[in-house]
């Protein structure tokens, strides 16, 4: 009765654009200048919008939110690989990807100011709203992918995001297993930003990488430099292409870093050092991408200035529009409890409206 | 005596209980180094170390499932759910196992643990951070559900919960965490689970409530007393399950009128059970139908609309007046 080796596994890491903006020509994706600028703009918009929301939060003009600063490459790269026929299933730290899917800037202000209206926009059909229950959305993604397979939808797949902390949830493991058993077109991107609130990645999971979770579920897995937008794009592109052509699910671990607080209610000084944060600012995904564009002679200072001015104007206008919005229907929650009317709800609506008058 | 917020008072009880009994373990997401997102576990990690104050991986079912195992093996875990809105991920562990080991083994195996969770609205928080779902837990036989209303009773009830031989869901009204301070005695106080408290004595009407609603309820009682001289008795339930039906019946038998105030949705909640208890025990003493002022049977609105949905002093006052005038 011999002891035999029955499996041997390996894992790869992808880096294309280094911290200085030097590209590996052998791995450089074939993206048009137009797409490259689109990606750069998306990252910068996400960064600037974050910074504006942060200011607004501190001034009490929006509520608690979780900044995506530092993670723009991890979300915008994969989002660039999406077609309108694909689904985006996010959690709560993918502002850049949401904007790329056509969500108006005003909507994250609305959402974070306590209005469901922030979840609703034209063209949202294949973009699920923010999912706050950590991990749950990965199972929804698998179900959507199953429906696509069942309907024999061609050339479409689901892109699902989750955080490093989220990989500890049973839901995440169930999602990988279901996706693998069903061989459905879904790509999971783990944004490993080093922290789940105060818990460092090393204490979230004992394993050296999160990409290796793929091995146990027998799906392709890869780790990428999550601050390298070319790597996140390329890995997602490859995985989505495989999914769209019937090749089943994949897992991508994007190693990135949350440069700001978990949410505006959090104080990271309690659990991490300034030095660590500074180290990661040196790996900021945005300046390196700009240097890459410059090295390809598709970018210069004048274009940068124009882009910054354009983004500022876009955000200014969105803020103005958001702050002039009013007339939120007070009894809207009664409209959407069920798809059918029931007298018990309608009686309560009437009581609610009468009470509103009583308060006035 | 020191004046404390509810956060500080619960923290004090945890310090005292961990000091007293080395089988007490605190566990949950961000409860150690970060000291809890509301700082309820402040100082515990420093005082007791990471073997007794565990920063767990992010998995609520994992937290409660392992806490059950610890309790079966003689420890007394105090597990935190960061917000009650995330606690449903552990519901299968509590319903399927935590609540049942005692009856399953006819008392040979027990699960003495506490599950702490901030609950309730009014703090302008994101989705899943404002719900009031105490009825879901109260409907589990074998599980006690405690809801303090102020610093002093929170400290005493936390001590009682840690010492209790059974699983206790300890729901902390986060809206009351820091809005007021109260004298908390130096010496440990042990509350009594299963007993309501008369928060204010009166003879014309009984107001029944719990948790964060106690503040607007007491406010409304004062208003009605000063505006029309009515004498209002206020009962603070403190324990939702097992419910102190006799305290409710005693009061209502005396006053003949009752208003129940609940933050949670209207139907099938604790208010319904309070009214059923009155029906069982004091119906013939009633001079008016029991009134209930509640949330609505809608999905908890995002915070832009929430204040219209949570009972406030105005609605409560009108409810009292209607019942007095019936
Ligand atoms: C089921 C559940 N438990 C707890 C929380 C509270 N919470 C929100 S985000 C978070 C940490 C998430 O970490 P990670 O998955 O790494 O995502 P990141 O915040 O770093 O983007 C926690 C504990 C939640 N939203 N959902
Ligand atoms: Mg994280």
């Amino acid at each position: 009765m011999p002891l035999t080796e029955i499996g041997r596994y390996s894992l790869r890491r992808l880096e294309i654009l280094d911290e200085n903006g030097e590209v590996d020509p052998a791995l450089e994706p074939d993206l048009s200048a137009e797409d490259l600028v689109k990606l750069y703009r998306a990252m910068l918009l996400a960064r600037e919008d974050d910074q504006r929301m942060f200011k607004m939060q501190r001034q009490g003009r929006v509520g608690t939110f979780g900044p995506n600063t530092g993670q723009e490459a991890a979300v915008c790269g994969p989002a660039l690989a999406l077609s309108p026929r694909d689904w985006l299933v996010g959690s709560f730290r993918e502002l850049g990807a949401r904007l790329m899917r056509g969500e108006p800037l005003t909507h994250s202000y609305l959402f974070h100011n306590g209005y469901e209206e922030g979840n609703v926009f034209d063209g949202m059909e294949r973009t699920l709203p923010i999912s706050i229950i950590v991990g749950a959305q990965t199972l929804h993604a698998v179900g959507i992918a199953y429906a696509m397979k069942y309907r024999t939808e061609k050339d479409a797949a689901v892109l699902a995001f989750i955080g490093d902390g989220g990989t500890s949830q049973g839901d995440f493991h169930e999602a990988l297993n279901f996706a693998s058993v069903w061989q459905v077109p879904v790509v999971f991107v783990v944004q490993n930003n080093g922290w789940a609130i105060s818990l460092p990645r090393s204490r979230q999971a004992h394993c050296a990488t999160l990409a290796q979770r793929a091995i146990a579920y027998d799906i392709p897995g890869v780790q990428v430099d999550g601050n390298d937008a070319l790597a996140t794009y390329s890995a997602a592109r490859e995985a989505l292409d495989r999914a769209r052509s019937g090749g089943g699910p994949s897992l991508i671990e994007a190693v990135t870093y949350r440069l700001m607080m978990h949410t505006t209610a959090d104080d990271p000084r309690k659990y991490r050092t300034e030095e660590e944060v500074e180290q990661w600012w040196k790996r900021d995904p945005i300046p390196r991408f700009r240097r890459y564009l410059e090295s390809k002679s598709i970018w210069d200072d004048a274009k940068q200035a124009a882009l910054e001015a354009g983004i500022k104007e876009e955000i200014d206008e969105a803020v103005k529009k958001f702050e002039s919005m009013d007339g939120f229907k007070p009894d809207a929650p009664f409209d959407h409890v069920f798809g059918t009317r029931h007298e018990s709800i309608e009686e309560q609506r009437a009581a609610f409206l009468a009470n509103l008058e009583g308060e006035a | 005596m020191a004046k404390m917020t509810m956060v500080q008072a619960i923290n004090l009880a945890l310090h005292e209980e961990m000091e007293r009994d080395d089988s007490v373990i605190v566990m949950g997401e961000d409860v150690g180094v970060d000291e809890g997102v509301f700082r309820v576990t402040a100082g515990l990690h420093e005082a007791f170390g990471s073997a007794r104050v565990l920063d767990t991986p992010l998995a609520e079912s994992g937290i409660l499932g392992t806490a059950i195992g610890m309790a079966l093996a003689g420890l007394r875990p105090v597990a935190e759910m960061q917000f009650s809105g995330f606690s449903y991920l552990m519901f299968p562990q509590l319903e399927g196992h935590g609540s049942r080991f005692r009856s399953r083994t006819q008392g040979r195996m027990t699960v003495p643990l506490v599950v702490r969770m901030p609950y309730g609205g009014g703090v302008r928080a994101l989705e899943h951070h404002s719900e009031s779902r105490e009825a879901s837990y109260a409907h589990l036989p074998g599980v006690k559900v405690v809801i303090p209303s102020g610093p002093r009773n929170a400290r005493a009830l936390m001590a009682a919960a840690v010492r209790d031989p059974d699983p206790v869901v300890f729901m902390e009204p986060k809206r009351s965490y820091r809005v007021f301070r109260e004298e908390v005695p130096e010496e440990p106080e042990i509350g009594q689970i299963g007993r309501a408290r008369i928060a204010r004595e009166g003879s014309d009407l009984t107001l029944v409530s719990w948790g964060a609603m106690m503040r607007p309820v007491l406010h409304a009682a004062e208003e009605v007393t000063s505006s029309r001289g009515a004498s209002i008795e206020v009962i603070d339930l403190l324990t939702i399950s097992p419910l102190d039906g006799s305290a409710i019946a005693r009061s209502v038998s005396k006053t003949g009128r009752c208003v129940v105030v609940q933050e949670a949705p209207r139907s099938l909640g604790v208010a319904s059970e309070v009214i059923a208890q009155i029906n069982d025990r004091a119906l013939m003493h009633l001079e008016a139908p029991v009134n209930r002022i509640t949330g609505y049977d809608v999905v908890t609105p995002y915070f832009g609309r929430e204040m219209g949905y949570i009972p406030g002093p105005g609605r409560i006052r009108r409810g009292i007046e209607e019942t007095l005038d019936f």
Side-chain angles (χ1 to χ4, degrees), chain B residues 252-322:
Chain B
V252 176
S253 301
K254 178 175 72 177
T255 61
R257 295 174 197 269
C258 182
V259 177
V260 192
V261 181
Q262 139 180 312
E263 181 175 336
R266 185 167 187 79
S267 307
L268 303 161
V270 176
S272 310
E273 178 57 28
V274 168
I275 295 168
Q277 293 277 343
I278 295 169
N279 183 60
D280 290 348
R281 300 167 184 255
L283 184 68
M284 302 321 260
H285 296 275
L286 285 181
E287 289 164 41
V290 181
N291 200 351
R292 54 181 160 154
I293 308 298
T294 66
Y296 301 95
D297 295 340
V298 301
V299 176
T300 306
Y302 287 11
F303 72 78
R305 291 185 176 87
E306 76 175 329
M307 290 324 279
Y309 286 74
I310 298 175
R315 250 175 92 194
I316 298 169
R317 197 191 58 237
R318 288 195 297 280
I320 298 171
E321 285 165 350
E322 264 171 39

Side-chain angles (χ1 to χ4, degrees), chain B residues 72-117:
Chain B
L72 287 168
L75 301 183
R76 287 190 172 254
V78 179
E80 175 177 304
M81 297 289 122
Q82 200 161 79
F83 285 87
S84 65
F86 311 133
S87 68
Y88 314 112
L89 281 82
M90 65 75 175
F91 199 84
Q93 284 289 349
L94 188 64
E95 199 285 337
H97 306 286
S99 68
R100 291 167 185 260
F101 266 102
R102 176 182 292 282
S103 63
R104 190 182 276 161
T105 63
Q106 300 198 311
R108 298 287 286 276
M109 291 183 175
T110 60
V111 183
L113 59 76
V114 182
V115 198
R116 296 182 34 242
M117 52 178 87

Side-chain angles (χ1 to χ4, degrees), chain B residues 48-63:
Chain B
F48 301 103
S50 51
R52 288 189 69 189
V53 182
L54 283 76
D55 275 321
T56 65
L58 204 180
E60 288 73 14
S61 178
I63 292 167

Side-chain angles (χ1 to χ4, degrees), chain B residues 120-186:
Chain B
V123 297
R124 295 174 59 82
L126 290 166
E127 193 179 356
H128 310 296
H129 295 70
S130 308
E131 283 69 17
S132 199
R133 300 263 186 271
E134 63 274 23
S136 308
Y137 289 109
H139 211 249
L140 302 181
V143 173
K144 296 177 180 172
V145 182
V146 171
I147 306 185
S149 61
R152 183 167 178 176
N153 59 49
R155 187 268 200 120
L157 286 165
M158 176 52 79
V162 173
R163 297 169 192 216
D164 197 89
D166 288 302
V168 177
V169 172
F170 194 90
M171 301 183 72
E172 301 168 4
K174 67 173 92 71
R175 192 180 171 190
S176 306
Y177 261 165
R178 296 177 202 281
V179 287
F180 66 105
R181 288 170 188 269
E182 224 172 54
E183 294 288 351
V184 173
E186 293 290 344

